Amino acid sequence: MPLLRRKPFSLAEPPEDLKPDEPVYQIRFTKEIFQDYHDYLKRLNLYRQRVWMCKVTGKTGLTYEEALVSEQLATEKVQQFPKELMTIALRIIQYSMLPLKDLADSIGEKLQEQLFVGAELHWKKDDGVHPCKILKVIQKGVDTVSYEVAWLDKNKNIREQAEVSAEDLVHKKPLFSRNILKSFIRESTYRNAPWVLHDELAKNHGISTDIPEELRGRVFYKDGLLVCSKKRKHEESREDTDTCKKKLDGAQVDDSVQEKENGQPKDAAIKYPIDDLLVIPSPDDPVFTDRPSPAKSFNIPMSCVGELLMVWDFLSSFGRLLQLSPYSLEDFEIAICHKDSNVALVVESHAALFRLLIKDDDEYSLAVKNRKLKSKITTNNWTEYLCHFLEMINIPELWQHKTTIKRGHYGLVDASAKLRILGELVNRALETAIFRGKLDEIIEQRQALGATRRGEALENGRRRREEKERLKAESESNGFVDGYHLNGENVLANNSIQNGDVGEKRIIEIEPSGQNDPLGRSGIKHLNSAPKKTLKKLNSELKEPTENGKELSRKESPKQLKADKDSSEKNSDEQRKEYFEREMEKRFIRRSPLGKDRDYNNYWWFCRYGRIFVESCDSKKWGYYSSKEELDALMSSLNCKGERERVLRKQLEKYYSTICSELQKTSKDLMHRFVDESVLRRSTRVRAQPGQNPSDACLRYKNKYHKEE
């Protein structure tokens, strides 16, 4: 049983008034049952704290469950202890007063001398040492013993047998490690100083439980357990005095003071954050708003949203490498759902991936050469490249669409199949040497940025320390010492000495160091109190000229100048920090979610698109937030007592300004698109010349990054 702060801990007893149909809360690894959820939560939180100790190995800083596993593993090792040696070890342990380490070493030395059947050791032969195993112990006389051993090869197979003496057998390493012996001692005893075996264990091995002569009077049995006798009166008095002194000095009270009447320690207070599902409402909690429901207006099936986002994010992020100019997520979604077979945006996206594979994918480039396809990919032949790719990957779910695509009816293929094909193309592109080289380059750039940021932080810290030391030295040289301003021979003590209701200011005269003082010390002489006019005059004399020739009052001291400089440096540091974050975002390697809520829903944000996407824990449902009001409501609904929602809120706070600007930008773009579509519909009714429909932007897409070869 694991120990709580090195002391035994009793599990909770099952409730006596438990009804058969009553709902209860059970802890999985202890099988404890609780009727009250708050009691269950407190006990579970206690088990998750790293205050437990493995009773067998002595490891500390574990959770209860980790301590249980440690005890099980250690017990399995202890059970492998040879029975022939167990009695010898137990006799050494019984009533020993040695510390644990010394006792383990003593047992190890004793067992090293023992030779038993099955022991693996080494035999001296032909000026060498060879591994062997004892098969039989042969007793030839009262003091004469020989052993029948078998020689072992590298695989521990028996080669031959022989009879040898004990002098010819050697141990190259101890039979048991010190840790195993320590675990064996802890497992076999119920107390230390002296170490006492469990009664049943001692009885099974024929070991006496009688107290040795040297320990009688110091220990005795009470209720079947060995306890120490009472100390002498002066020792008790001294111990009580030391205990009282510790309490008066503010020392920590022992954990036993916190025990309940039934002997169990009090449950520790809940330390947040904890698992979100264990958080229960509290009167001290802030007011949480209702979490807004995310919008789910997608043109593609809900199960394909994840694939859509993955493909679009890859094509947009590595557009320069693919020679593919970026486009919006709305245009990409519309293009995937379009029934036209030669949508410009879809054709260019496939062509960019095909060009990369032809350059660096040996298998695909060989297939293209064997088919003798034209080197230039156009709207007329791009489907041939696509069909060859489907033949190469040979996926049955996608293979069935080959005939439809070959006949020129790509637009009739399901959106899910289109995205699945693009996903396979992206996965293939990720394996190319060109892309891996680009990733290595990005990683090097990120490392260089990180090194530059760390170097600037160290340099700023060094510069601030030097500036602080310089200002301190200047203030001391100019006469600012402990709040006094030294000016030649006089100093104004700006301290008010309160005598009743009278505040008195004093003038102090300071003689120059080393002139009138034979010891070379500054002599300070108090003069009579000065009138108010004199004080005003001295205050005016204490004004210092600034760099521009203007006078600077004492309130406008160098500290004020330092504060202004620190403020400007702080703004500069924040700008540099934002710059590094932007550069890191440009060189991203893999996209990760912002975080999760209590129900394990993932929250995704893409810097090139003003929406926060919500992915269910099973990745089957998707939604999104598209306004600043929804973002604020989401943040107000997160409970920071939970581990997951705490991390999510921190990430949202970190990127709050950037996300808000992107949300507003996307909202404006969608509003302009809606207005343009409304104008287009109205102009159609009045038979006016129609403008360009924003929904057909995917048809008018032009790849500005691609250079004709």
Side-chain angles (χ1 to χ4, degrees):
M1 182 67 67
L3 304 178
L4 175 61
R5 299 183 181 92
R6 299 182 181 273
K7 294 184 179 180
F9 180 81
S10 301
L11 300 179
E13 296 292 336
E16 297 180 356
D17 56 344
L18 189 63
K19 299 178 182 178
D21 57 345
E22 182 180 356
V24 294
Y25 305 94
Q26 185 183 44
I27 297 179
R28 170 177 49 83
F29 42 85
T30 63
K31 307 304 180 185
E32 292 175 290
I33 296 176
F34 297 89
Q35 294 173 300
D36 183 65
Y37 180 74
H38 187 65
D39 294 340
Y40 160 79
L41 181 61
K42 289 176 64 179
R43 181 59 62 92
L44 185 60
N45 188 52
L46 176 63
Y47 287 149
R48 289 182 174 178
Q49 296 181 27
R50 295 191 172 277
V51 295
W52 298 90
M53 172 182 172
C54 174
K55 184 180 179 181
V56 181
T57 63
K59 292 181 180 178
T60 57
L62 305 175
T63 64
Y64 187 91
E65 195 168 7
E66 290 173 347
L68 274 179
V69 174
S70 178
E71 287 186 358
Q72 292 173 0
L73 296 176
T75 303
E76 291 176 359
K77 291 182 179 180
V78 170
Q79 288 175 353
Q80 298 174 2
F81 206 89
K83 295 182 180 179
E84 296 84 355
L85 304 179
M86 188 171 292
T87 303
I88 300 173
L90 294 177
R91 290 188 186 278
I92 300 173
I93 295 172
Q94 183 73 313
Y95 296 118
S96 174
M97 296 293 292
L98 293 174
L100 179 61
K101 176 179 174 295
D102 296 340
L103 181 58
D105 293 340
S106 176
I107 295 174
E109 293 174 1
K110 186 67 176 178
L111 297 182
Q112 196 77 359
E113 303 171 358
Q114 305 298 319
L115 300 176
F116 57 95
V117 176
E120 294 184 5
L121 56 170
H122 290 75
W123 174 55
K124 299 177 183 177
K125 179 183 178 182
D126 301 334
D127 297 332
V129 179
H130 305 277
C132 63
K133 180 179 181 180
I134 298 178
L135 300 178
K136 186 179 180 181
V137 179
I138 304 172
Q139 191 77 30
K140 292 188 174 182
V142 179
D143 298 328
T144 306
V145 179
S146 62
Y147 302 90
E148 183 180 342
V149 298
W151 315 122
L152 305 177
D153 58 12
K154 294 181 179 180
N155 298 324
K156 293 189 176 183
N157 297 323
I158 297 176
R159 294 187 297 177
E160 57 178 306
Q161 300 179 5
E163 184 177 333
V164 298
S165 61
E167 291 76 11
D168 296 330
L169 299 175
V170 294
H171 288 282
K172 295 189 68 175
K173 62 179 181 179
L175 290 175
F176 307 101
S177 66
R178 181 185 292 168
N179 289 334
I180 292 179
L181 292 176
K182 285 182 178 180
S183 300
F184 176 75
I185 295 170
R186 292 193 185 96
E187 185 73 11
S188 305
T189 59
Y190 67 86
R191 66 153 297 152
N192 58 357
W195 298 94
V196 184
L197 300 174
H198 295 290
D199 291 341
E200 191 68 24
L201 183 63
K203 182 179 178 181
N204 293 339
H205 290 271
I207 299 174
S208 175
T209 57
D210 296 336
I211 301 174
E213 187 69 29
E214 61 271 14
L215 294 179
R216 290 179 183 175
R218 298 170 60 184
V219 295
F220 63 94
Y221 279 99
K222 181 180 180 181
D223 298 333
L225 297 176
L226 191 74
V227 295
C228 293
S229 61
K230 292 184 178 179
K231 299 179 181 180
R232 286 177 292 181
K233 290 184 178 180
H234 70 277
E235 291 179 346
E236 292 180 351
S237 177
R238 184 175 61 186
E239 184 180 354
D240 293 340
T241 303
D242 294 341
T243 303
C244 293
K245 186 177 180 180
K246 287 181 180 179
K247 289 182 179 180
L248 291 174
D249 291 342
Q252 288 185 341
V253 181
D254 192 75
D255 293 333
S256 60
V257 179
Q258 300 179 358
E259 293 182 356
K260 292 183 178 179
E261 295 180 357
N262 58 1
Q264 295 184 8
K266 290 184 179 179
D267 291 333
I270 299 174
K271 293 184 179 180
Y272 297 103
I274 61 175
D275 188 88
D276 298 69
L277 298 178
L278 298 178
V279 177
I280 56 177
S282 171
D284 300 332
D285 290 342
V287 178
F288 297 109
T289 60
D290 294 333
R291 188 163 302 173
S293 299
K296 298 179 181 179
S297 54
F298 297 104
N299 296 325
I300 61 174
M302 186 76 70
S303 58
C304 302
V305 175
E307 196 85 35
L308 176 79
L309 292 173
M310 184 274 290
V311 174
W312 171 79
D313 187 42
F314 175 82
L315 297 177
S316 301
S317 301
F318 298 98
R320 292 290 182 182
L321 177 65
L322 299 171
Q323 297 184 3
L324 180 70
S325 56
Y327 42 77
S328 67
L329 181 62
E330 287 93 348
D331 292 342
F332 183 53
E333 185 179 9
I334 294 172
I336 291 295
C337 298
H338 209 285
K339 297 304 180 182
D340 192 346
S341 297
N342 290 320
V343 178
L345 190 147
V346 174
V347 173
E348 289 295 335
S349 299
H350 283 81
L353 293 169
F354 291 146
R355 286 192 293 267
L356 181 64
L357 295 180
I358 292 172
K359 286 182 181 179
D360 202 10
D361 191 303
D362 295 336
E363 183 181 0
Y364 185 72
S365 60
L366 182 61
V368 170
K369 289 180 181 178
N370 292 336
R371 296 284 182 173
K372 297 181 180 180
L373 297 175
K374 295 180 180 179
S375 59
K376 185 178 179 181
I377 303 174
T378 64
T379 55
N380 296 326
N381 65 354
W382 75 277
T383 54
E384 297 181 17
Y385 286 87
L386 182 57
C387 291
H388 295 324
F389 178 76
L390 293 178
E391 291 177 1
M392 185 181 69
I393 60 176
N394 194 20
I395 298 177
E397 293 82 0
L398 303 179
W399 176 267
Q400 62 181 352
H401 301 289
K402 177 187 172 184
T403 305
T404 305
I405 296 173
K406 203 172 234 184
R407 291 175 179 174
H409 301 301
Y410 173 83
L412 301 180
V413 177
D414 295 337
S416 58
K418 293 178 181 178
L419 290 171
R420 179 81 183 277
I421 294 172
L422 280 169
E424 293 295 331
L425 279 168
V426 169
N427 293 334
R428 196 82 179 190
L430 291 172
E431 299 175 359
T432 60
I434 295 177
F435 186 79
R436 289 180 180 178
K438 182 64 176 179
L439 282 184
D440 293 339
E441 180 184 345
I442 292 174
I443 291 173
E444 291 178 359
Q445 293 175 357
R446 288 175 65 90
Q447 291 175 347
L449 282 171
T452 305
R453 180 165 56 181
R454 288 190 297 270
E456 289 188 3
L458 292 173
E459 179 64 22
N460 291 337
R462 184 188 63 79
R463 190 164 56 247
R464 282 194 293 267
R465 287 193 300 271
E466 292 179 353
E467 182 69 15
K468 185 177 180 181
E469 293 174 358
R470 185 183 65 79
L471 290 175
K472 183 179 179 181
E474 288 181 358
S475 63
E476 291 179 354
S477 63
N478 291 335
F480 284 99
V481 180
D482 295 334
Y484 294 95
H485 184 280
L486 305 181
N487 187 7
E489 300 179 354
N490 296 328
V491 63
L492 175 62
N494 197 23
N495 297 332
S496 297
I497 304 175
Q498 300 296 334
N499 297 321
D501 296 330
V502 180
E504 185 179 12
K505 296 186 178 180
R506 294 183 177 274
I507 302 295
I508 302 173
E509 182 178 351
I510 297 183
E511 296 179 357
S513 174
Q515 295 179 3
N516 299 330
D517 190 352
L519 300 179
R521 297 171 298 179
S522 297
I524 300 180
K525 190 190 326 180
H526 292 270
L527 302 179
N528 294 331
S529 300
K532 294 183 178 179
K533 292 182 179 180
T534 307
L535 294 176
K536 291 181 179 179
K537 182 179 179 181
L538 288 172
N539 279 329
S540 63
E541 291 176 355
L542 287 172
K543 293 180 179 179
E544 299 175 349
T546 62
E547 296 178 357
N548 297 328
K550 298 180 181 179
E551 290 186 345
L552 182 68
S553 65
R554 278 184 57 178
K555 293 182 180 179
E556 296 174 342
S557 63
K559 293 182 178 180
Q560 182 66 32
L561 296 175
K562 181 177 180 297
D564 296 340
K565 187 175 181 180
D566 290 344
S567 177
S568 61
E569 289 181 354
K570 184 177 180 182
N571 294 333
S572 177
D573 292 344
E574 291 178 354
Q575 292 175 358
R576 292 294 293 173
K577 183 179 179 182
E578 293 176 357
Y579 163 76
F580 282 119
E581 289 180 354
R582 288 195 304 269
E583 293 300 315
M584 284 288 190
E585 180 62 31
K586 292 177 183 177
R587 296 164 177 82
F588 91 104
I589 298 175
R590 68 176 290 185
R591 186 73 60 189
S592 300
L594 291 171
K596 301 179 181 180
D597 59 17
R598 61 173 283 129
D599 298 319
Y600 294 94
N601 298 319
N602 285 312
Y603 288 75
W604 298 83
W605 176 66
F606 303 91
C607 61
R608 292 172 301 278
Y609 190 64
R611 282 182 183 175
I612 297 177
F613 290 90
V614 186
E615 178 190 12
S616 64
C617 58
D618 57 0
S619 301
K620 293 181 179 180
K621 296 181 180 179
W622 287 81
Y624 62 87
Y625 298 119
S626 57
S627 66
K628 180 178 179 297
E629 292 74 19
E630 290 177 327
L631 173 61
D632 294 336
L634 170 64
M635 295 177 64
S636 300
S637 68
L638 299 175
N639 192 340
C640 291
K641 288 184 176 180
E643 296 171 344
R644 293 184 292 278
E645 294 196 353
R646 185 187 187 92
V647 174
L648 176 59
R649 184 177 176 88
K650 283 185 178 180
Q651 288 295 100
L652 290 174
E653 290 174 350
K654 179 180 179 180
Y655 299 107
Y656 180 78
S657 58
T658 307
I659 294 176
C660 287
S661 62
E662 290 293 334
L663 289 175
Q664 294 172 356
K665 180 181 177 182
T666 303
S667 298
K668 290 181 180 179
D669 293 342
L670 292 176
M671 182 61 67
H672 289 318
R673 175 177 293 215
F674 176 77
V675 171
D676 292 342
E677 290 179 353
S678 300
V679 172
L680 178 64
R681 287 194 297 269
R682 187 168 59 253
S683 63
T684 303
R685 288 196 299 269
V686 298
R687 299 182 182 278
Q689 183 65 29
Q692 293 182 342
N693 190 345
S695 299
D696 295 336
C698 59
L699 300 175
R700 301 188 303 273
Y701 171 80
K702 293 188 180 298
N703 187 5
K704 300 177 182 178
Y705 288 177
H706 177 53
K707 299 177 182 179
E708 297 292 341
E709 297 179 356

